[in-house]
């Protein structure tokens, strides 16, 4: 059973929701948001797609198995912890660098941000693994 | 350099299967090059060590708790390192021939090399913690090696038995070593060696000794832990030769020799070692002569040898320690050779029964020579190194340390029985008259990788017997000096003149011949005594293990009922009782009465939530219950908004939505609501739920009252921007301050995802299962685990 209203609305909502999730992820360090919330929003987006178009379409849209996304996320989070180790500090010590962008401005980036990206990916991957598996059933 | 020598074995172990795959027929020889070069590496230290030098090497591991990877090379560890690498080279070379064409030979090399490296680490380690690690690694590799033929049930249970017995001993050893390190004020053995006084006068000396000796005795198969060693003969012949005669079982002996300078002088040390060692050597030799399986016979003579070594260490005089060192060398040489010969006999004839085999000298001439030399060394006959060792043992016991006569009698009895056991092994199977049809199959050539292993140690036994001087100053003196903690000058000789020792040797031979005659002629009498071997501690082990399994089964059934409501009930009830009891006992329920204003806005939300909860409990359909629970969740999120926690509120909103979606997906497949539980059980559940709610409410109120006590929130708020470059404190806590927690949480989340996926996706397909009803189920299980 396909609903025209739902499919049409989903088409328009999806890009915005995904943008929102990325926005939440990156603003999380200074304002409400973060990898966990962002990841849930992104997962919710694909779940909406799943309801509108069915599981097979969602899997096609995702291209990669959500389990792989989970694994990549875990590795990213672990990797950001290892940076501290390599620098001779305890595991998970934060490290920051500033990428100069000219005019006295710079992009401040550090391992907590990459760690948050890892969280973001794990949340997307694990949630989608569970919900898509359930939606597929047997 | 020493650490590299130890690590090289582990590294090669990793690549052994690859090397084996590239050139299967050469792999044994190629891999044996490493132990061989290690042998020469350690050989090059002989001059330095016998000159009195000791080498210490250390690398930090966990310096905060004093743990280091440190290695210590002195006369004793050098002797063991030479035995391990030298015999190791022969064994690996031999394995290539013995297990020729075995599909898992590559993996076998990995285990064997890993074992060799662990054993080297054990005898070279100076730090007690690293010693323990290597000790456990030898137990672990032994488990894999004994159970190498893992399709046989007997091999698996023997491997488990060895692992459990030595593993429990290992735990005791760890505790003992920690006590020892505390008593001596150092974790380094080379420092502990000179602090014997402090250790011996420590109040916990007796528990320390019991723990250490439990470790040593289980590993070295002393009575009453001897039973695992004969069972371990389930492993292939090279394993029996290497682990269960020449090296691993000597680890316990190594430990008592190593610690001898520390405990020497303590009466309980000498008494317990002499007593256990003495009993073990007699029991071992007695059980050996009633065996019919060649390998079992050899296993029990190994028990005898290990007992002899512990016995001599217990006597503790410089002469006794010198005798122990010589006997150690002699035993490793003849026992390694005999086990490998037994392996060849099994390989070529398919039998190891000493009552059936006859006339092997015609079929296996070279093996016969090796076995004869090694067997005579075991019997203590001149001109072999075993004779030199036995003369020294007699000299020790006659010198009259310890409870004089008893010690002499024990040594005489053990040697006599050992002599008879050598006869049983050697005379009829190799030189007995063969049945006519067996005699015809002669002229069988054994390949070099099979005969080199037995022949070399046997020949070495002959060489050291003829010229014992080769050993005395180079190896025996430094090793005995290390154990005795004083200068020892060994003078080994084959011929001592007409001495009391020679007389005892003659008595041994005479009595041994008599025993042998009785054993051979009265086989039924011997059979009648065989039950002794199986009725002993092995039975206790079985009973104990079964009791443990029964207990585990019972408590698993009790806790893992399989009903979700049981689990929830157990968890909630446990939490409520434990928390409430603690809170009441410590008078923690101090609920503040002031400062509890509730705004009208909050009141509306709370009333809505309570109503929703009532609806959820009373609803007749699952869908309405889920929706009502969603209302509770959204209400909570609104409260978060009200209290200025936008992060929490956002998360709560999304999670609540997700939960509803999850539920909807699941209840699709569930049957309709039916009330199957009784009124009473529902009432009970309601009570538990009410108690849990009451507890949580009072905990929240109590927490509200002691809020000022927390120092963390202030710290996080102050340092969030400063240290972590973030203004959102909540997020900074999640990804930085408490990042480790988050890492754990996302790991759990991933596991949950994998778990659901496994449950739903990796089940054997129902339709195809019916179609493939004919194919074996084991095949399917294999498939599902392979995914």
């Amino acid at each position: 059973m396909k609903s025209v209203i739902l499919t049409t609305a989903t088409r328009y909502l999806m890009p915005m929701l995904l943008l929102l999730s990325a926005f939440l992820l990156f603003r999380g360090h200074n304002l409400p948001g973060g990898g966990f919330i962002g990841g849930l929003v992104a997962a919710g987006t694909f779940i909406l797609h799943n309801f509108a178009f069915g599981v097979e379409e969602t899997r096609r849209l995702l291209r990669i198995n959500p389990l792989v996304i989970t694994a990549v996320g875990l590795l990213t989070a672990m990797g950001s912890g290892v940076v501290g180790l390599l620098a001779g500090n305890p595991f998970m010590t934060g490290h920051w660098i500033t990428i100069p962008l000219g005019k006295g401005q710079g992009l401040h980036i550090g391992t907590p941000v990459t760690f948050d990206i890892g969280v973001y990916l794990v949340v997307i991957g694990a949630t989608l693994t569970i919900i898509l598996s359930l939606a597929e059933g047997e | 350099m020493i650490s590299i020598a130890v690590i090289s074995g582990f590294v090669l172990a990793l690549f052994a299967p690859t090397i084996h795959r590239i050139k299967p027929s050469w792999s044994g020889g190629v891999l044996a090059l490493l132990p061989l070069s290690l042998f020469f590496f350690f050989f090059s230290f002989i001059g330095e060590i016998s000159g009195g030098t000791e080498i210490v090497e250390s690398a930090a591991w966990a310096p905060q708790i004093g743990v280091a990877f440190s290695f210590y090379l002195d006369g004793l560890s050098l002797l063991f390192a030479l035995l391990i690498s030298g015999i190791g080279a022969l064994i690996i070379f031999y394995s290539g021939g013995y297990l020729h064409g075995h599909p898992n030979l590559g993996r076998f090399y990995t285990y064997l090399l890993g074992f060799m490296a662990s054993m080297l680490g054990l005898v070279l380690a100076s730090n007690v913690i690293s010693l323990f690690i290597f000790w456990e690694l030898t137990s672990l590799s032994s488990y894999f090696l004994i159970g190498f033929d893992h399709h046989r049930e007997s091999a698996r249970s023997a491997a488990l038995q060895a692992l459990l017995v030595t593993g429990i001993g290992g735990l005791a050893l760890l505790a003992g070593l920690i006590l020892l390190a505390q008593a001596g004020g150092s974790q380094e053995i080379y420092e502990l060696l000179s602090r014997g006084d402090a250790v011996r006068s420590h109040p916990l000396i007796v528990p320390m000794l019991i723990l250490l000796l439990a470790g040593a005795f289980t590993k070295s198969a002393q009575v009453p832990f001897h039973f695992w060693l004969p069972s371990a003969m389930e492993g292939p012949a090279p394993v029996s030769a290497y682990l269960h005669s020449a090296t691993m079982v000597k680890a316990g002996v190594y430990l008592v020799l190593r610690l001898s300078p520390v405990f020497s002088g303590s009466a309980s040390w000498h008494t317990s070692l002499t007593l256990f060692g003495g009993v073990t050597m007699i029991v071992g030799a007695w059980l050996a002569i009633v065996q019919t399986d060649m390998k079992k016979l050899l296993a029990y003579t190994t028990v005898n040898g290990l007992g002899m070594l512990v016995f001599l260490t217990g006597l503790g005089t410089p002469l006794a320690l010198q005798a122990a060192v010589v006997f150690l060398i002699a035993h490793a040489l003849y026992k390694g050779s005999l086990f490998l010969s037994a392996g060849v006999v099994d390989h070529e004839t398919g039998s190891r029964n000493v009552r059936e085999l006859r006339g092997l000298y015609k079929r296996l001439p070279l093996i016969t020579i090796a076995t004869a030399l090694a067997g005579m060394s075991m019997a203590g006959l001149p001109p072999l190194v075993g004779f030199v060792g036995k003369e020294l043992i007699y000299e020790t016991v006659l010198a009259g340390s310890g409870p004089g006569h008893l010690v002499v009698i024990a040594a005489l009895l053990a040697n006599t029985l050992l002599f008879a056991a050598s006869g049983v092994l050697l005379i009829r199977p190799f030189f007995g008259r063969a049945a006519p049809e067996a005699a015809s199959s002669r002229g069988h050539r054994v390949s070099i990788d099979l005969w080199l292993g037995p022949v070399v140690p046997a020949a070495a036994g002959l060489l050291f017997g003829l010229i014992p001087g080769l050993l005395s100053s180079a190896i025996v003196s430094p090793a005995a000096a290390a154990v005795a903690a004083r200068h020892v000058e060994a003078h080994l000789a084959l011929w001592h003149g007409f001495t009391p020792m020679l007389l005892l040797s003659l008595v041994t031979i005479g009595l041994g011949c008599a025993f042998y005659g009785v054993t051979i002629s009265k086989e039924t009498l011997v059979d009648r005594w065989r039950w002794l071997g199986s009725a002993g501690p092995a039975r206790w082990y079985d009973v104990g293990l079964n009791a443990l399994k029964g207990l585990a089964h019972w408590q698993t059934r009790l806790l893992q009922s399989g009903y979700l409501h049981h689990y929830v009930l157990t968890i909630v009830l446990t939490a409520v009782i434990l928390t409430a009891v603690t809170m009441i006992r410590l008078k923690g329920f101090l609920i503040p009465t002031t400062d509890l204003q509730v705004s009208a806005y909050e009141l509306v939300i709370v009333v809505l939530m309570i109503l929703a909860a009532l609806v959820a409990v009373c609803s007749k359909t699952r869908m309405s219950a889920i929706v009502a629970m969603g209302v509770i969740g959204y209400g909570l999120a609104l409260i978060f908004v009200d209290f200025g926690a936008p992060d929490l509120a956002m998360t709560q909103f999304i999670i609540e939505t997700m939960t509803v979606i999850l539920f909807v997906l699941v209840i699709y497949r569930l049957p309709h609501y039916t009330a199957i539980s009784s009124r009473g059980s529902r009432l009970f559940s309601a009570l538990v739920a009410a108690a849990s709610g009451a507890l949580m409410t009072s905990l929240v109120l109590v927490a509200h009252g002691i809020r000022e006590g927390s120092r963390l929130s202030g710290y996080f708020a102050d340092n969030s921007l400063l240290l972590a470059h973030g203004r959102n404190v909540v997020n900074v806590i999640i990804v930085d301050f408490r990042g480790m927690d988050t890492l754990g949480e996302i790991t759990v989340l991933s596991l949950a995802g994998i778990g659901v996926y496994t449950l739903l996706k990796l089940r054997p397909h129902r339709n195809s299962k019916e179609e493939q009803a004919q194919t074996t189920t084991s095949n399917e299980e294999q498939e599902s685990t392979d995914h």
Side-chain angles (χ1 to χ4, degrees):
Chain A
M1 180 194 71
K2 270 189 183 174
S3 145
V4 180
I5 301 173
L6 191 58
T7 49
T8 316
T10 305
R11 283 213 184 86
Y12 288 101
L13 276 174
M14 272 196 76
M16 282 191 280
L17 280 170
L18 284 178
L19 267 178
L20 174 71
S21 87
F23 167 73
L24 282 171
L25 163 68
F26 288 113
R27 93 177 198 144
H29 215 60
N30 293 318
L31 292 160
F36 196 77
I37 300 173
L40 283 173
V41 170
T45 313
F46 286 102
I47 291 164
L48 178 66
H49 184 271
N50 162 43
F51 279 122
F53 297 96
V55 187
E56 281 170 27
E57 283 293 319
T58 314
R59 285 220 188 261
R60 204 168 300 147
L61 182 73
L62 272 173
R63 285 158 200 264
I64 19 178
N65 190 336
L67 271 180
V68 177
I69 303 179
T70 318
V72 171
L74 260 188
L75 276 176
T76 313
M78 291 280 232
S80 358
V82 172
V83 172
L85 270 188
L86 293 180
N89 290 317
F91 183 61
M92 297 285 297
T93 310
H95 282 265
W96 292 86
I97 51 165
T98 307
I99 301 168
L101 298 175
K103 294 180 188 168
Q105 296 286 310
L107 180 63
H108 213 47
I109 191 167
T111 54
V113 177
T114 51
F115 182 81
D116 219 10
I117 294 172
V119 174
Y120 177 80
L121 292 175
V122 169
V123 171
I124 296 179
T127 315
L128 286 181
T129 304
I130 294 173
I131 290 191
L132 293 185
S133 303
L134 279 172
E136 270 167 345
E138 297 302 310
Chain B
M1 275 307 277
I2 299 175
S3 49
I4 294 171
V6 172
I7 291 165
S8 64
F10 288 116
V11 174
L12 189 63
L14 286 181
F15 295 106
T18 321
I19 294 171
H20 177 64
R21 210 171 302 135
I22 293 169
K23 194 76 184 161
S25 49
W26 288 57
S27 55
V30 172
L31 293 171
L33 287 176
L34 176 78
L36 195 66
S37 39
L38 286 176
F39 178 79
F40 287 117
F41 167 73
F42 287 113
F43 195 81
S44 69
F45 281 96
I46 284 187
E48 212 176 325
I49 298 292
S50 60
T53 329
E54 288 159 359
I55 298 163
V56 176
E57 234 183 71
S58 189
W61 179 10
Q64 307 92 321
I65 49 171
V67 179
F69 265 123
S70 50
F71 296 101
Y72 175 57
L73 190 66
D74 68 346
L76 183 65
S77 34
L78 180 64
L79 164 63
F80 272 91
L82 285 171
L83 284 177
I84 292 161
S85 52
I87 296 183
L90 288 173
I91 298 280
I92 287 174
F93 185 63
Y94 175 90
S95 304
Y98 184 78
L99 290 173
H100 181 75
H102 194 289
N104 294 333
L105 182 54
R107 200 188 300 165
F108 184 75
Y109 287 133
T110 300
Y111 299 153
L112 213 54
L113 283 166
F115 164 76
M116 184 199 73
S118 326
M119 194 64 205
L120 273 178
L122 197 169
V123 299
L124 293 166
S126 172
N127 188 284
V128 292
I129 300 296
S130 39
L131 185 146
F132 169 76
I133 302 270
F134 287 119
W135 181 283
E136 290 294 80
L137 280 175
T138 62
S139 295
L140 207 62
S141 36
S142 159
Y143 172 74
F144 287 123
L145 286 165
I146 298 171
F148 181 65
D149 288 332
H150 53 81
H151 54 271
R152 278 188 297 120
E153 207 278 328
S154 55
R156 293 198 303 273
S157 67
L160 186 66
Q161 189 181 52
L163 183 72
L164 285 178
V165 174
T166 55
I168 290 170
L171 282 181
L173 177 76
L174 176 64
L177 287 173
I178 289 172
L179 271 180
L180 174 69
Q182 282 182 352
S186 168
Q187 288 192 9
E188 299 298 320
I189 283 174
Y190 68 93
E191 286 177 348
L192 286 168
L193 288 179
S194 56
R195 298 187 191 172
D197 293 329
V199 174
R200 282 193 304 275
S201 56
H202 194 269
L204 290 176
I205 173 84
V206 173
M208 191 197 305
L209 270 182
I210 292 174
L211 290 168
L212 287 171
L213 291 184
F217 287 176
T218 46
K219 195 82 163 180
S220 282
Q222 302 293 300
V223 171
F225 307 115
H226 62 282
F227 57 91
W228 72 263
L229 185 57
S231 313
M233 295 302 126
E234 290 289 342
V239 176
S240 310
Y242 195 29
L243 274 71
H244 305 118
S245 70
T247 57
M248 187 186 85
V249 289
K250 301 261 171 70
V253 173
Y254 167 78
L255 188 76
V256 291
L257 286 169
R258 174 93 287 169
L259 297 177
S260 192
V262 182
F263 291 105
S264 175
S266 145
S268 34
W269 168 263
H270 292 294
T271 318
S272 47
L273 286 187
T274 316
L275 190 69
F276 277 96
V279 171
T280 304
M281 67 183 181
I282 294 167
V283 169
W286 168 252
L287 289 173
I289 55 174
V290 303
Q291 301 301 321
T292 54
D293 179 352
M294 236 179 218
K295 278 180 79 182
K296 289 253 157 123
L297 187 151
L298 289 170
Y300 278 109
T301 58
T302 304
V303 172
N304 154 280
L306 297 167
M308 182 70 84
L309 286 166
V310 170
F311 171 77
L312 289 169
T313 317
L315 293 177
T317 59
L319 197 60
L321 298 174
Q322 207 177 309
V325 171
V326 175
F327 183 72
L328 180 81
I329 299 168
H331 180 260
L333 292 176
Y334 71 66
K335 198 52 70 64
S337 168
L338 286 175
F339 265 118
L340 294 180
S341 295
V344 178
V345 169
D346 191 12
H347 195 261
E348 300 295 322
T349 67
S351 168
R352 297 195 306 247
N353 192 325
V354 289
R355 293 196 187 163
E356 286 169 3
L357 289 165
R358 290 291 181 273
L360 289 170
Y361 73 98
K362 282 185 187 153
R363 298 173 65 182
L364 306 165
L366 213 50
I367 296 298
T368 307
I369 296 172
T371 314
L373 284 175
M376 281 161 68
S377 187
M378 176 157 91
L381 288 172
L384 292 137
V385 70
F387 175 73
V388 181
K390 196 183 56 175
E391 292 279 284
L392 262 177
I393 292 169
Y394 281 147
E395 193 178 344
T396 307
V397 293
L398 285 173
S401 65
H405 299 303
L406 259 177
V407 173
V408 179
I409 292 168
L412 184 66
L413 189 59
N415 275 319
T416 305
L417 289 169
L418 190 62
F419 184 92
S422 310
V424 172
L425 177 75
L426 192 58
I427 295 174
R428 283 204 299 181
F430 284 90
F431 300 105
R433 191 173 297 142
E437 72 271 18
S440 61
S441 65
R442 54 182 301 178
H444 186 81
R445 287 186 67 88
V446 179
S447 61
I448 178 167
D449 39 12
L450 282 178
W451 63 254
L452 194 73
V455 166
V456 169
L462 180 65
L463 178 71
F464 292 140
L466 289 171
I467 322 170
L470 285 176
L471 287 176
S472 43
S473 65
I475 298 194
V476 176
S477 302
V483 182
R486 73 172 92 157
H487 186 69
V488 174
E489 196 68 52
H491 296 288
L492 304 181
L494 191 62
W495 178 249
H496 283 279
F498 293 99
T499 53
M501 288 81 86
L502 189 66
L503 184 68
L504 270 183
S505 281
L506 291 175
V507 173
T508 311
I509 294 170
L511 278 175
C513 288
F515 258 110
Y516 172 70
V518 173
T519 315
I520 291 299
S521 57
K522 297 267 165 54
E523 279 180 350
T524 46
L525 188 76
V526 170
D527 286 338
R528 206 169 296 157
W529 284 99
R530 190 169 301 116
W531 62 270
L532 261 180
S534 56
R539 185 62 50 81
W540 313 341
Y541 165 84
D542 285 337
V543 170
L545 195 64
N546 285 332
L548 195 66
K549 281 183 191 164
L551 181 72
H553 186 79
W554 172 79
Q555 69 105 18
T556 308
R557 279 280 124 246
L558 190 74
L559 291 176
Q560 308 287 331
S561 62
Y563 292 107
L564 185 60
H565 64 274
H566 280 184
Y567 291 110
V568 176
L569 207 64
T570 314
I571 292 167
V572 171
L573 207 59
T574 314
V576 167
I577 291 174
L578 287 180
T579 318
V581 166
T582 314
M583 288 296 280
I584 292 168
R585 202 165 55 86
L586 301 176
K587 301 192 172 55
F589 282 121
L590 299 172
I591 295 166
T593 45
T594 57
D595 188 31
L596 286 178
Q597 295 119 352
V598 180
S599 71
Y601 178 63
E602 287 160 12
L603 200 67
V604 172
I605 299 172
V606 169
V607 169
L608 263 177
M609 285 169 76
I610 293 174
L611 286 176
L614 286 174
V615 170
V617 172
C618 303
S619 71
K620 296 279 177 226
T621 62
R622 286 201 173 82
M623 201 57 181
S624 53
I626 291 163
V627 170
M629 271 157 62
V631 171
I632 303 176
Y634 282 141
L636 195 63
L638 284 176
I639 290 181
F640 286 145
V641 172
D642 187 37
F643 278 84
D647 284 284
L648 281 180
M650 273 199 270
T651 315
Q652 180 70 28
F653 271 123
I654 305 174
I655 285 287
E656 212 48 60
T657 315
M658 292 282 178
T659 315
V660 171
I661 293 173
L662 268 177
F663 269 125
V664 169
L665 286 173
V666 173
I667 60 164
Y668 251 4
R669 309 174 204 290
L670 291 180
H672 282 289
Y673 246 178
T674 37
I676 40 174
S677 49
S678 71
R679 210 178 212 340
S681 87
R682 265 189 284 173
L683 196 67
F684 181 65
S685 301
L687 277 176
V688 173
S692 151
L695 180 80
M696 283 315 292
T697 311
S698 31
L699 282 183
V700 168
L701 287 171
V702 170
H704 183 73
I706 53 172
R707 211 183 188 171
E708 291 78 19
S710 168
R711 289 175 291 123
L712 277 179
S713 47
Y715 172 84
F716 286 150
D718 292 344
N719 291 299
S720 172
L721 189 57
L722 221 59
L723 290 178
H725 310 279
R727 276 186 211 89
N728 180 359
V729 183
V730 177
N731 198 56
V732 165
I733 292 175
I734 291 174
V735 299
D736 201 335
F737 288 137
R738 307 297 300 262
M740 208 65 159
D741 292 2
T742 313
L743 190 61
E745 281 155 16
I746 58 175
T747 310
V748 171
L749 186 63
S750 315
L751 286 178
I754 294 168
V756 171
Y757 186 81
T758 317
L759 280 174
L760 290 177
K761 295 282 170 185
L762 299 185
R763 282 189 299 183
H765 297 293
R766 281 180 192 159
N767 299 333
S768 57
K769 197 174 189 174
E770 282 163 358
E771 286 165 18
Q772 299 170 346
Q774 294 91 344
T775 59
T776 52
T777 44
S778 65
N779 219 352
E780 270 186 34
E781 279 165 25
Q782 193 67 44
E783 269 173 35
S784 61
T785 46
D786 281 351
H787 276 293

